[in-house]
Amino acid sequence: MFEVHGYAAHDDHSPLVPFTFKRRDVGATDVHIEILYSGICHSDLHQAHNDWGNSTYPMVPGHEIVGRVVAVGPNVKKFKVGDIAGVGCMVDSCRTCESCERDLEQYCLNHTSFTYNGTEQDRKTPTQGGYATAIVVEERFAVKISEKLDLKAVAPLLCAGITTYSPLRHWNVGPGQKVGVIGLGGLGHMGVKFAKAMGAEVTMVTTSPGKIEDAKKLGADKGLISTDKDAMAAAAGSFDFLLNTVPVSHDVQPYLSLLKLDGAMVVVGALTPLDPIAGGLLMLPRRTLAGSAIGGMAQTQEMMDFCAEHNIVSEVEVVDMASINETYERLVKNDVRYRFVIDMATMPKG
Amino acid sequence: MFEVHGYAAHDDHSPLVPFTFKRRDVGATDVHIEILYSGICHSDLHQAHNDWGNSTYPMVPGHEIVGRVVAVGPNVKKFKVGDIAGVGCMVDSCRTCESCERDLEQYCLNHTSFTYNGTEQDRKTPTQGGYATAIVVEERFAVKISEKLDLKAVAPLLCAGITTYSPLRHWNVGPGQKVGVIGLGGLGHMGVKFAKAMGAEVTMVTTSPGKIEDAKKLGADKGLISTDKDAMAAAAGSFDFLLNTVPVSHDVQPYLSLLKLDGAMVVVGALTPLDPIAGGLLMLPRRTLAGSAIGGMAQTQEMMDFCAEHNIVSEVEVVDMASINETYERLVKNDVRYRFVIDMATMPKG
C-alpha cells in the first residue's frame, strides 16, 4: 500500500477537499500509473452530490484518466515503464462471464468494478477515482495511448469518447449514411467528430441555433434546429442513425420521426424516464430505439488507436485541482466547451 | 364494374348492415377472387367505430381474405383460375420507391393503399375490404395458398400471421434462442406457433395464469406470469427476443428487464403511447425496443409457404356474416380463441 494525494467528497453537500488515501501495491498483472490529466464528467458531479442515491463516501471522483506508467507487475504484457496509459469508467470485472468473454466488461453479469463509487471484485473494498496523483489497475483495464496525441485532450476519450464511439461502431455507421447527433456537449461533440471520421454525413440536431456553427467547426456537415417544426417535418424519415446525447428526460418522439425505415436512435445520455413514445412511431416505418453504455476495454483500445490515426481528441479547458468546486459550478451552468480536464501537476502536495 | 354483396359501417356508431357495391373490372394484371373466408381483426372494429379518427364511410372492413381465383387478367403470371389466393392489409403501393423496391410495400414512401378505409393509388377511390363476396386485386398484392391447409383457419394469417412472422424473421429468431411472446390473443397465438416452428424456446408471458396452459397447447415451452414479481426477477436478463403483442398502452419496462445483452423487444400491438421508459433500462445492458408493421408481399408469400410446410394455421371460430355485430360485441369482451372468421357462404344474397 502506498499513499496518494487526491480530492474527495465526504458527503452529498460539502465541497470537495484534499484527501490522502492509499492505493494497493502493484500486483503481478497491475500497472501503476502516475496521473497526468483527469477529465471531469458530469456524472462526477451527480455522484459527488448523491443525485442517484447510490453514493458512498469518502469519494474520489474521476474516470477519464491519462497518465504515465511508472511501474508494472512481473506478468504485465501490454505496458512497460514510461508508456502513456488511460483508465476509464471500469477498473475490473469478473472476466469470466459471457459478457466479459465478449470483451463487454461494462455489461459484466457478475460485478463491474466502476472506477470510483464502486467496489473491487470483493464487493467490499471501495474504488477511488482519478482526481488523484496515481492509480493502480489491472492491465486489462488500461489502454495504451499514442504520445502523438495532445494528452490533456485525450482524457475525456475514456468516457465521453467511448460512450459515443461504441454505438456508432455497433450500429455500423459509415459512408453513405445520414447521421444526426442530438445535443452538443461533452458527449455530442465527440459524437460529431467520430461520426464524421467514420465517413457519415453528420447533422447536428440541437435546440440552440448558436451551436450549429460550433458543430460545423468540429466536422458537422449540417444543422437542424429541433424546435423548428417546418425544418423537422422536412427532415422526417431521412436519417439512418441518431446518437441521442441529451442528458435528461425528454420527448424522443420528434427525433424518432427523423428516422427512415430500419433507422435506429441510440440513447447514451438520459438514464431517467423518457416521455411516452407512441408504439405507432416505432412501427411505421420499422424503427429502433436502443441504449448503449460506455464500451468494453478492447473497443476502448480500438477507439484510442482510431483517434491516433485520425488525430481526434476532445475539446478541453484545463483547470487546476484546487479550483474543482468552482469548476463544478461552471459545469452546472454548462459553461464549458466541451470538457474540463484537471492538470494533475496542480495537485496541492500533502 | 360489377356488383358484389357485403357488409358495411355507415357511421361510427351504427351496426354494420348489408351493402351492395361495385368492384372494378379485372385489369391486365388483376385477379378476381371469390371470397371464401374473411378474418375479423380487432382493427376492423376500431376503424368501423372511428377509434383512430381516420375513418371514411361507407366502410366494408376486412383484411384477412382467402378465396378462389375465378378470373385473371391477360398479363397475370402468378395465378390461374381455380387457385386459392389470399389478400391481406394492402391492395397496392407505388411499387417504385426504395421501400417497394425492397419488397416492403407496407412502408411505401408514397402511398400504401390499405385494403379498406384507404384509397387506391389515385388517392381518391375508396378501397373496400373483405366482408364481401369478391375482390379484385393486382397480383402482386395476392399470395398463393396451399389447398393442403384448412382454408378457414388460413384467413388470419394475412394480418395476425404476417404481423408476427415478419419481426421474428427480421430479428433472426431461431434455434438456441429464448423467445418470449407477450400476450395471448390473435397476434400472440400466432407468435407462439411461429417462434416454436422456427426452433426457439418459447415462453408465454401473460398476466393470466389460465392462458399458460392454452399457450402450451399451441407450442409454448414455458409460462411466465408478468404480475409475479419474484418470477419476473428470476427471469430478468434471460431473453434474446420478446414479441410484444399487447394491443393497448402499457408499461413495457418490466418486459425490457427480461432482455439480456443485445436482446430486442418488438412492439406489434400498441399504436398508442407506451408509458415512460427509463433510458438506463435500454443502456444497461445494451437493449433494443423496436416496432414492426405487418410484412411485405414477398414475405407474406414466404410465410404462407412456411405455414404449408409446417402445417400452421390460426385457431379460429367460424361465424355467419349476419352475426357480425354480435361478433364485434364478443370481440370487445375478448370472448374469442383466437380469431373469428366469417364464412362468406353465409352472406345474405341481395
Side-chain angles (χ1 to χ4, degrees):
Chain A
M1 304 277 272
F2 66 99
E3 244 177 30
V4 295
H5 299 295
Y7 259 66
H10 287 271
D11 55 49
D12 61 9
H13 57 276
S14 308
L16 270 64
V17 293
F19 177 63
T20 298
F21 62 105
K22 289 198 159 68
R23 297 286 194 191
R24 71 169 181 256
D25 290 327
V26 178
T29 57
D30 283 346
V31 292
H32 174 175
I33 300 166
E34 202 172 81
I35 300 177
L36 298 170
Y37 297 102
S38 194
I40 299 177
C41 176
H42 210 114
S43 64
D44 295 349
L45 193 154
H46 283 303
Q47 291 179 88
H49 294 173
N50 197 21
D51 290 342
W52 299 335
N54 69 343
S55 294
T56 56
Y57 302 96
M59 178 197 298
V60 178
H63 58 206
E64 298 181 339
I65 300 166
V66 170
R68 191 173 295 276
V69 175
V70 295
V72 298
N75 297 341
V76 165
K77 297 198 178 98
K78 209 161 67 176
F79 296 94
K80 61 181 193 306
V81 170
D83 284 349
I84 301 296
V87 178
C89 299
M90 304 180 276
V91 289
D92 215 339
S93 70
C94 84
R95 308 185 207 173
T96 59
C97 72
E98 203 181 313
S99 298
C100 289
E101 295 231 317
R102 288 178 60 199
D103 289 325
L104 294 164
E105 301 92 343
Q106 77 274 35
Y107 304 125
C108 176
L109 296 173
N110 293 306
H111 179 61
T112 302
S113 293
F114 290 105
T115 302
Y116 70 89
N117 197 30
T119 55
E120 298 286 359
Q121 288 297 297
D122 63 9
R123 301 190 188 218
K124 287 185 297 190
T125 311
T127 55
Q128 298 292 10
Y131 297 3
T133 48
I135 191 167
V136 175
V137 64
E138 215 278 340
E139 67 168 334
R140 175 170 176 162
F141 293 86
V143 294
K144 295 190 76 162
I145 295 170
S146 165
E147 298 223 29
K148 286 196 314 192
L149 293 169
D150 179 3
L151 295 184
K152 66 179 181 300
V154 165
L157 299 176
L158 277 309
C159 171
I162 187 63
T163 296
T164 51
Y165 181 90
S166 182
L168 291 167
R169 281 291 188 222
H170 184 69
W171 293 86
N172 299 313
V173 163
Q177 294 190 349
K178 287 190 69 172
V179 169
V181 177
I182 305 167
L184 186 62
L187 295 175
H189 94 286
M190 290 312 308
V192 168
K193 290 189 179 202
F194 285 136
K196 187 66 188 171
M198 290 173 191
E201 181 191 293
V202 180
T203 299
M204 169 49 52
V205 185
T206 172
T207 54
S208 317
K211 288 198 173 174
I212 288 181
E213 281 313 302
D214 295 345
K216 285 184 176 170
K217 285 178 200 149
L218 300 170
D221 299 287
K222 297 179 177 182
L224 176 60
I225 307 296
S226 56
T227 50
D228 179 342
K229 286 194 176 170
D230 292 341
M232 289 291 280
S238 68
F239 285 87
D240 297 283
F241 185 84
L242 293 170
L243 183 68
N244 184 330
T245 74
V246 179
V248 294
S249 293
H250 63 290
D251 184 2
V252 299
Q253 294 189 122
Y255 306 123
L256 278 176
S257 300
L258 297 175
L259 291 174
K260 61 168 69 162
L261 174 63
D262 292 331
M265 174 161 69
V266 174
V267 170
V268 293
L271 287 159
T272 48
L274 306 171
D275 295 357
I277 299 163
L281 258 184
L282 295 168
M283 287 185 215
L284 283 167
R286 189 165 62 189
R287 289 173 172 131
T288 288
L289 174 69
S292 180
I294 48 174
M297 294 313 303
Q299 196 175 46
T300 307
Q301 185 65 63
E302 177 194 309
M303 174 204 65
M304 277 297 173
D305 298 342
F306 183 88
C307 288
E309 188 188 333
H310 294 269
N311 198 30
I312 290 174
V313 290
S314 291
E315 305 297 309
V316 301
E317 178 180 338
V318 177
V319 296
D320 288 355
M321 187 70 254
S323 78
I324 185 67
N325 297 297
E326 298 90 299
T327 303
Y328 274 9
E329 282 170 32
R330 288 183 58 198
L331 195 57
V332 170
K333 294 180 206 149
N334 278 322
D335 177 21
V336 56
R337 283 188 185 178
Y338 290 94
R339 206 72 159 179
F340 289 118
V341 172
I342 305 162
D343 178 354
M344 218 44 72
T346 65
M347 177 71 75
K349 291 299 182 286
Chain B
M1 304 275 272
F2 66 101
E3 243 178 30
V4 296
H5 300 295
Y7 259 65
H10 287 272
D11 54 49
D12 60 9
H13 58 278
S14 308
L16 270 64
V17 293
F19 178 63
T20 298
F21 63 104
K22 291 198 159 69
R23 297 286 194 191
R24 71 168 180 257
D25 291 326
V26 178
T29 57
D30 283 345
V31 291
H32 174 173
I33 300 165
E34 202 171 80
I35 300 177
L36 298 170
Y37 298 103
S38 195
I40 298 177
C41 176
H42 210 113
S43 64
D44 294 350
L45 193 153
H46 283 304
Q47 291 177 88
H49 294 174
N50 196 21
D51 290 341
W52 301 335
N54 69 342
S55 294
T56 56
Y57 302 97
M59 179 196 301
V60 179
H63 58 207
E64 297 181 339
I65 299 167
V66 170
R68 192 173 296 277
V69 175
V70 293
V72 297
N75 298 339
V76 164
K77 298 196 177 99
K78 209 161 66 176
F79 296 94
K80 61 182 192 306
V81 170
D83 285 348
I84 302 297
V87 178
C89 300
M90 305 179 277
V91 290
D92 214 341
S93 69
C94 84
R95 310 183 205 174
T96 59
C97 73
E98 203 180 313
S99 297
C100 289
E101 296 233 316
R102 288 178 59 199
D103 289 325
L104 294 164
E105 301 92 343
Q106 77 272 37
Y107 305 125
C108 176
L109 296 173
N110 294 306
H111 179 61
T112 302
S113 293
F114 290 105
T115 302
Y116 70 88
N117 196 29
T119 55
E120 299 285 0
Q121 288 298 297
D122 64 7
R123 301 189 190 220
K124 286 185 297 192
T125 310
T127 55
Q128 298 292 10
Y131 297 4
T133 49
I135 190 166
V136 175
V137 64
E138 215 278 339
E139 67 168 335
R140 175 172 176 161
F141 293 86
V143 294
K144 295 190 75 162
I145 294 171
S146 165
E147 299 223 28
K148 285 196 314 190
L149 293 169
D150 179 3
L151 295 184
K152 64 179 181 301
V154 164
L157 298 176
L158 277 308
C159 172
I162 186 63
T163 297
T164 51
Y165 181 89
S166 182
L168 291 168
R169 281 291 188 223
H170 184 69
W171 292 86
N172 298 312
V173 163
Q177 293 189 349
K178 286 191 69 173
V179 169
V181 177
I182 305 167
L184 186 63
L187 295 176
H189 94 288
M190 290 311 307
V192 168
K193 290 188 179 202
F194 284 136
K196 187 65 188 173
M198 290 173 190
E201 180 191 295
V202 180
T203 299
M204 168 48 51
V205 186
T206 173
T207 53
S208 316
K211 289 200 172 171
I212 288 182
E213 281 313 304
D214 294 345
K216 285 185 178 170
K217 286 178 200 149
L218 300 170
D221 299 287
K222 298 179 178 181
L224 176 60
I225 306 297
S226 57
T227 50
D228 179 341
K229 285 194 177 170
D230 293 341
M232 289 292 279
S238 68
F239 284 86
D240 297 283
F241 185 83
L242 293 169
L243 183 69
N244 184 330
T245 74
V246 179
V248 294
S249 294
H250 63 289
D251 184 2
V252 298
Q253 295 189 120
Y255 306 124
L256 278 176
S257 301
L258 297 176
L259 291 174
K260 61 169 69 162
L261 173 63
D262 292 331
M265 173 160 70
V266 174
V267 171
V268 293
L271 287 158
T272 48
L274 306 170
D275 296 356
I277 299 163
L281 258 184
L282 295 168
M283 287 185 214
L284 283 166
R286 188 165 64 192
R287 291 174 172 130
T288 288
L289 175 70
S292 181
I294 48 173
M297 294 314 303
Q299 195 174 47
T300 307
Q301 185 64 64
E302 176 195 309
M303 174 204 66
M304 278 297 172
D305 298 342
F306 183 87
C307 288
E309 188 188 333
H310 294 269
N311 198 30
I312 290 174
V313 290
S314 291
E315 304 297 310
V316 301
E317 178 180 340
V318 177
V319 296
D320 288 355
M321 186 72 254
S323 79
I324 185 67
N325 298 297
E326 297 90 300
T327 304
Y328 273 9
E329 281 169 34
R330 288 184 57 200
L331 195 57
V332 169
K333 295 179 204 149
N334 279 321
D335 177 21
V336 55
R337 285 186 181 178
Y338 290 93
R339 206 71 158 179
F340 288 118
V341 171
I342 305 162
D343 178 354
M344 217 45 70
T346 65
M347 177 72 72
K349 290 298 181 289

